[in-house]
Amino acid sequence: MARADGREPLQLRPVHIETNYLMHPEGSVLISVGNTKVICTASIEDKVPPFMRGQGKGWITAEYAMLPRATETRNIRESSKGKVTGRTMEIQRLIGRALRAVVDLEALGERTVWIDCDVIQADGGTRTASITGAFVALSLALQSFSGKKSLSKFPITDYLAATSVGILEGGQVVLDLNYIEDSKAQVDMNVVMTGSGEFVELQGTGEEATFSYNDLQGLLGAAQEGLMELFEQQKAALGEEIMQKIENRRKK
Amino acid sequence: MARADGREPLQLRPVHIETNYLMHPEGSVLISVGNTKVICTASIEDKVPPFMRGQGKGWITAEYAMLPRATETRNIRESSKGKVTGRTMEIQRLIGRALRAVVDLEALGERTVWIDCDVIQADGGTRTASITGAFVALSLALQSFSGKKSLSKFPITDYLAATSVGILEGGQVVLDLNYIEDSKAQVDMNVVMTGSGEFVELQGTGEEATFSYNDLQGLLGAAQEGLMELFEQQKAALGEEIMQKIENRRKK
Amino acid sequence: MARADGREPLQLRPVHIETNYLMHPEGSVLISVGNTKVICTASIEDKVPPFMRGQGKGWITAEYAMLPRATETRNIRESSKGKVTGRTMEIQRLIGRALRAVVDLEALGERTVWIDCDVIQADGGTRTASITGAFVALSLALQSFSGKKSLSKFPITDYLAATSVGILEGGQVVLDLNYIEDSKAQVDMNVVMTGSGEFVELQGTGEEATFSYNDLQGLLGAAQEGLMELFEQQKAALGEEIMQKIENRRKK
Amino acid sequence: MARADGREPLQLRPVHIETNYLMHPEGSVLISVGNTKVICTASIEDKVPPFMRGQGKGWITAEYAMLPRATETRNIRESSKGKVTGRTMEIQRLIGRALRAVVDLEALGERTVWIDCDVIQADGGTRTASITGAFVALSLALQSFSGKKSLSKFPITDYLAATSVGILEGGQVVLDLNYIEDSKAQVDMNVVMTGSGEFVELQGTGEEATFSYNDLQGLLGAAQEGLMELFEQQKAALGEEIMQKIENRRKK
Amino acid sequence: MARADGREPLQLRPVHIETNYLMHPEGSVLISVGNTKVICTASIEDKVPPFMRGQGKGWITAEYAMLPRATETRNIRESSKGKVTGRTMEIQRLIGRALRAVVDLEALGERTVWIDCDVIQADGGTRTASITGAFVALSLALQSFSGKKSLSKFPITDYLAATSVGILEGGQVVLDLNYIEDSKAQVDMNVVMTGSGEFVELQGTGEEATFSYNDLQGLLGAAQEGLMELFEQQKAALGEEIMQKIENRRKK
Amino acid sequence: MARADGREPLQLRPVHIETNYLMHPEGSVLISVGNTKVICTASIEDKVPPFMRGQGKGWITAEYAMLPRATETRNIRESSKGKVTGRTMEIQRLIGRALRAVVDLEALGERTVWIDCDVIQADGGTRTASITGAFVALSLALQSFSGKKSLSKFPITDYLAATSVGILEGGQVVLDLNYIEDSKAQVDMNVVMTGSGEFVELQGTGEEATFSYNDLQGLLGAAQEGLMELFEQQKAALGEEIMQKIENRRKK
């Protein structure tokens, strides 16, 4: 059975990654996954947060937000509310943690990379699109930076992408859920994986439902298919020179 | 003497207005004025704030924000700071007040239009670009809305645009300052005007400097030239049908 | 190889669940898992949050906090900071979501159960101990409540417990990590499961590391062993009458 | 046509400036403009904000507030609300900016002058009364300070005062609007001017109305008349010695 | 031994109470106790806070603040800090509680009186001057209010005043400490008393010191002397008509 | 007449002090006074707050909180509200001030002791139980600390305990009010006293009532009886060695 938008169960939505989307940041992309659009930027700061000082290592931290009308109905800005919601905090902690898994923080030196993911338009999968896009922005920033200041090694040690998988009401396992599918799914799982096929994060939730070990196997298989395609998109966006640098680090 | 970017003193930067930029809002544009880029959306809500209830009139309110890397160096998000800066408050009050001058709030009925101006990339003139773009987003939203619910009259009563003028260090009056010019100008003035050439807001500031009555006349003349061109851009973006509706209201 | 505290790799720490620990709440326990001690209470309120009104269904929401000296060094109170950290928000969202998976919200009626998990002493695994203890406090509260007001059915549909598993630096898979182990583990996974062996939540993280499909299988096996033992502890704490009510709901 | 309170269109309300109103501040005044009463103080601190350090220059910053019952109905305190309103921020930014236009920040040295304007009783024109009074408090503070520590030059380079002008519903241009007039005016303009007749700030607003170039000329003429009278009041309050010092700086 | 300012140990500073100091509030005074000056206002609102609704009784609540330069060195505004300090909260709770002891809340009806005490200049004893002044402002407000709406009885049942007493370093008991004395005193006690000589509040503190039962007796005797004089000042400020109304309530 | 719970008017509720209740803090107790239960911890930090630096003296600061369900109905967490209530601030200021009266801050050296009082279950008298328990936790922490780092002298100079006394509706003076008694009492007084019988704090309040000098004498007599018993409980909890150290300091 085809899905509401005509896709096959294990088919990703169209993915586009526009690099160097903004003039100021060291690295930036506009990533679209179907109708979900996120501006991801990477900014390099020449110091680390207090708890990291003096260790000779860098840090990656992430912030995530949505424009008020990224969604069907307008959301109150978090700046107006004066606080960040739990959902936002959860997502930005996830993005930072995931990226740190493929960065050699010692090679980065005592620097912080600030990742900003701002969702311009939301149609499901904003956190996974953010991770996939942020990886590209981060790679571009480090490439541009390594042209100016000498780094001992290129700090990116592998590719990193994320996607969502889920089980629809009838039991169908699907890849890359849009908003309508996501809000009706029984089980929802986000998978973050390296280019070598290792897991970085696995977050499966059965909101008001549960899932079996068999279900889990089906979900992980679907995720892997989508992720392989996302790695190809990232490589195309990054280009030969950066790809070569990442390959060099993977071998070690 | 030509300017740093080669423009004549009274020449605007290139202006582009991309309408219906986002899928969810009732009205949306991406406006570029040179390198300054702002996403403006208009969202219609079927109620008014408490202080307006029961008066049979609508309300227009605006919010303004910048992406953290819209600027040369990264700004801390206002949601992380937990409060909105004075500059932001000043700008969003200005945008709302300006738009209300060309909206017949009674024709709008007891509804609120939320204007959101999110600066994606900043190179001077973000508040005036926001007003110019927000006017288009608002008009599109009301047009789309009047297709669904009958309004007694089209609520927009005139065009509205804004630009900046200033006096550079040598005394040269210039139109539409970019960031470098703005940060060095002796006098900086924002002018908001209707399509009929009436002033809506005039905010002139000599930060650590002053200006004479003669200076003021020069500045207002320059502003008027730029504004005439911006009205043409708005008309082109809005199209025949909406133009006709606005013309009908202007006559009365 | 035995662990630092002499446990076998797949051995839980000693678990004690003291029921009705406090005089005021409808349900309360003091749960100890090794040196980790959490007071869990369940409070029933006769209304639901605004987004749930008029649906004839109830809601479960959770809050989590630590005493300032629950930990080795004193933490600043979140009330003094004036905001709740991302970690706290993530945990309280997890606790609420997990419990809702085994509660028939319609049988609860338009009521909210507030779960409070206050960590008195922390030595790793505070979020999983909170879930395991909160399930018992919730069951006690609903039992006490159903003695006063008639509920159509007992709202608890299955047991629910949580534990952590991880991979230590040498590659050893271990169950129920204490703080020292947790802070050194390469991979850390929290598993929330029903009494029927279905997954409710699966959160695996390789902070600055990754894990393979094989690793995942080892981790899930370890978790399952620990969870079976935790369900026995919960049954002993709840007693015959409540066990009977839960069994009745599981059959359907 | 005379105004509600019997004044001529271009007549100021009675102005009184009581100097050294408080015992602790370096400079203080109680200014009354009709029923509007503001306590203005100037406090000198021996350091500058971080963004100004090491430039050998000083800074002037202002804060503005109202007592809760300065107005007809009681306002909630901003300290109770936990945040400062947009209106307050706009006013305090204006006061600081205006004063800096007549202060030689290098002659001030690396010091900050904190201006506090606290409205005791409000009847329109509180921001312009604040500027007019704050100029006197600032001059007194610098005079007292220059008696203790040697400043290379007296830092005040010119007089500074502010007033409001507006257009009433029938089209009448009036000077120094009280609260009733202000709330009904079609156009409201605040003008900040130096003793030499140069503009420092010009803020004209047609809330739900607009104004022409001709209107603007009428408004500016009215403002100038009122400002000339305010400069005389300031001179009388400051006394011979300070007047002499300011005159010396104006000549250069 | 006479005190630093030449007073006898049991001598109050000069007290002045200027009634109807502001035009908008229902009741207002400017009270000076030596150099300590406080504006006290009373505002009547026609509703009570939620926890009081439907009981047919009124409420008195108080807020207290200082101008930033009421003190020797400038204090940061609580509105800028975004929160109210513990000291402020303690004082405003004390003022409200004290006044409620001499108000017949049923005679007030379902209304709230907001008391605002704003310290213009501080030289010790600001909280006791606030209570003494607030009592007068409250009486004036209720007198003015009872002229407009009929109250069953005048709600003030007795006079109320407050003063401070302390023990200086050498052991001398003194009345009405100024700031210098207060900051060096070993023991500091605030006494709030009714016109009938009954205690309403007694707060004695030996910060880094202690005091005996004998000390306590000396302090209470001193306080009583000062309070008798303050009641005379209040009566003079309130005038015959209000005095008569209060006397009528005291008899019952 | 015996009290609701059968106690004599001047009878304390049963008191238990469990020392070293938690594993991490330098000093900790669980104190129960009847059904009121408070965890008190003392944490030593090797620095003082900014305003104390360089004086060669230490500081004691206290924080107080309640679990949400310590009370009959659930309270919103102060961390969720984002601010601390006035009542909490008042109590934590009281606890810190009281403890500092029996600590030789010079003997402590430039260190801060953080006292945390977390009410697990509340039934009246939580602030006085907090002080009584915190004194024991503080003594334990300093004893443990003086075993590690040499202090010139043991910093505790006397015992310190607190209790409440009140006057019930019929005029009966009672000791150690529980929640029901407290909420109905006409007069409520908290007394903090040293082991030598000197007052440290005296806070008497007649909320919507007053009390005479005679009443005060009766209240203070009752308080003294209870406090003598509390000192015995503290001595038993602290043990011979610490008692000896405190006795040595009292002699001087």
Side-chain angles (χ1 to χ4, degrees), chain E residues 86-87 89-90 93 97 100 198-207 210-213 216-217 220, chain F residues 84 86-87 89-90 93 97 100 198-207 210-213 216-217 220:
Chain E
R87 178 184 173 276
M89 286 212 186
E90 214 169 291
R93 283 159 57 88
R97 210 162 56 218
R100 288 194 298 272
E198 298 268 300
F199 294 112
V200 170
E201 287 270 341
L202 203 63
Q203 297 196 337
T205 295
E207 169 88 33
T210 60
F211 56 105
S212 68
Y213 191 78
L216 175 61
Q217 286 175 312
L220 295 178
Chain F
V84 170
R87 179 183 173 276
M89 287 213 184
E90 213 169 291
R93 282 159 58 89
R97 210 162 57 220
R100 289 194 297 272
E198 297 269 301
F199 295 112
V200 171
E201 287 270 343
L202 203 63
Q203 298 195 336
T205 295
E207 168 88 32
T210 60
F211 56 104
S212 68
Y213 191 79
L216 175 63
Q217 286 175 311
L220 295 178

Side-chain angles (χ1 to χ4, degrees), chain A residues 57 59 83-87 89-91 93-94 97 100-102 105 127 189 194 197-213 215-217 220, chain C residues 57 59 83-87 89-91 93-94 97 100-102 105 127 189 194 197-213 215-217 220:
Chain A
K57 292 166 57 179
W59 190 243
K83 62 178 182 182
V84 171
T85 64
R87 178 183 175 276
M89 286 213 185
E90 215 170 287
I91 294 174
R93 283 159 57 88
L94 169 64
R97 210 163 54 220
R100 289 194 297 273
V102 292
L105 295 173
R127 81 186 69 188
M189 180 170 279
T194 66
E198 296 269 299
F199 295 112
V200 171
E201 288 269 343
L202 203 63
Q203 297 194 337
T205 295
E207 170 89 33
E208 296 167 35
T210 59
F211 56 104
S212 68
Y213 192 79
D215 292 335
L216 175 62
Q217 286 175 311
L220 295 178
Chain C
K57 292 168 58 180
W59 190 245
K83 63 177 180 181
V84 169
T85 64
R87 179 184 174 275
M89 286 213 185
E90 213 170 290
I91 294 174
R93 283 159 56 88
L94 169 63
R97 209 162 56 219
R100 288 194 297 272
V102 292
L105 296 172
R127 80 185 69 189
M189 179 170 281
T194 65
E198 295 270 300
F199 295 112
V200 171
E201 287 271 342
L202 204 63
Q203 297 195 337
T205 296
E207 168 89 34
E208 296 168 37
T210 59
F211 57 103
S212 67
Y213 191 78
D215 293 334
L216 175 62
Q217 287 175 310
L220 295 177

Side-chain angles (χ1 to χ4, degrees), chain B:
Chain B
M1 186 196 75
R3 294 153 78 180
D5 58 1
R7 277 188 289 155
E8 292 302 310
L10 302 193
Q11 190 183 346
L12 282 184
R13 292 176 286 178
V15 176
H16 295 288
I17 301 175
E18 180 178 344
T19 53
N20 301 316
Y21 181 65
L22 298 179
M23 67 190 276
H24 296 302
E26 283 75 30
S28 65
V29 310
L30 172 62
I31 185 170
S32 321
V33 178
N35 286 322
T36 290
K37 296 184 185 189
V38 189
I39 297 176
C40 305
T41 67
S43 306
I44 301 178
E45 187 187 25
D46 251 345
K47 64 175 187 188
V48 286
F51 71 92
M52 294 285 297
R53 278 182 204 146
Q55 300 178 31
K57 293 167 56 179
W59 190 244
I60 315 280
T61 192
E63 293 195 351
Y64 166 97
M66 281 202 193
L67 293 203
R69 254 338 258 295
T71 47
E72 183 58 33
T73 54
R74 187 179 182 275
N75 291 300
I76 299 173
R77 277 172 202 273
E78 297 189 328
S79 58
S80 300
K81 280 191 274 193
K83 62 178 182 181
V84 170
T85 64
R87 178 183 174 275
T88 293
M89 287 212 185
E90 215 170 288
I91 294 173
Q92 52 199 23
R93 282 159 57 88
L94 170 63
I95 299 170
R97 210 163 55 221
L99 291 171
R100 288 194 298 271
V102 292
V103 175
D104 174 347
L105 296 173
E106 289 177 16
L108 180 56
E110 291 218 353
R111 298 182 180 94
T112 299
V113 186
W114 290 84
I115 300 294
D116 287 288
C117 298
D118 284 88
V119 179
I120 296 304
Q121 190 167 274
D123 186 29
T126 62
R127 80 185 71 187
T128 51
S130 293
I131 291 169
T132 305
F135 174 78
V136 178
L138 172 64
S139 301
L140 293 169
L142 290 173
Q143 165 72 351
S144 131
F145 186 79
S146 65
K148 288 180 236 152
K149 306 219 182 174
S150 70
L151 292 169
S152 57
K153 301 188 246 185
F154 193 65
I156 306 279
T157 61
D158 205 342
Y159 295 95
L160 183 91
T163 195
S164 71
V165 285
I167 303 179
L168 299 188
E169 285 194 330
Q172 173 72 62
V173 169
V174 290
L175 171 66
D176 186 23
L177 291 72
N178 67 17
Y179 179 73
I180 291 290
E181 290 173 330
D182 188 49
S183 56
K184 292 185 180 160
Q186 288 189 320
V187 179
D188 177 26
M189 179 171 281
N190 293 304
V191 182
V192 187
M193 193 172 263
T194 65
S196 312
E198 297 268 299
F199 295 111
V200 172
E201 288 269 344
L202 203 62
Q203 297 194 336
T205 294
E207 169 89 33
E208 296 168 36
T210 60
F211 56 104
S212 68
Y213 191 79
N214 267 358
D215 293 336
L216 175 62
Q217 287 175 311
L219 290 163
L220 296 177
Q224 186 139 10
E225 276 206 30
L227 288 159
M228 291 306 123
E229 195 177 326
L230 289 168
F231 294 130
E232 293 314 305
Q233 295 274 359
Q234 290 182 326
K235 288 173 186 171
L238 287 171
E240 239 358 275
E241 189 179 346
I242 299 178
M243 275 173 67
Q244 198 53 54
K245 288 188 173 180
I246 296 175
E247 288 302 327
N248 286 345
R249 290 303 312 266
R250 283 175 81 185
K251 282 173 197 153
K252 298 183 183 178

Side-chain angles (χ1 to χ4, degrees), chain A residues 5 7 10-19 29-38 40 124-125 128-134 136 160-164 175-177 225-237:
Chain A
D5 58 2
R7 277 188 289 155
L10 302 194
Q11 191 183 345
L12 282 183
R13 291 176 288 177
V15 176
H16 295 289
I17 302 176
E18 180 177 344
T19 54
V29 310
L30 171 62
I31 185 170
S32 322
V33 178
N35 286 322
T36 289
K37 296 185 183 189
V38 189
C40 305
T128 52
S130 293
I131 291 170
T132 305
V136 178
L160 182 90
T163 196
S164 72
L175 172 65
D176 187 24
L177 290 73
E225 276 206 30
L227 288 158
M228 291 307 122
E229 194 177 327
L230 289 168
F231 293 130
E232 292 315 304
Q233 295 275 1
Q234 290 181 326
K235 287 174 188 171

Side-chain angles (χ1 to χ4, degrees), chain D residues 109-120:
Chain D
E110 291 219 354
R111 296 181 183 96
T112 298
V113 187
W114 290 84
I115 300 295
D116 287 289
C117 297
D118 284 88
V119 179
I120 297 304

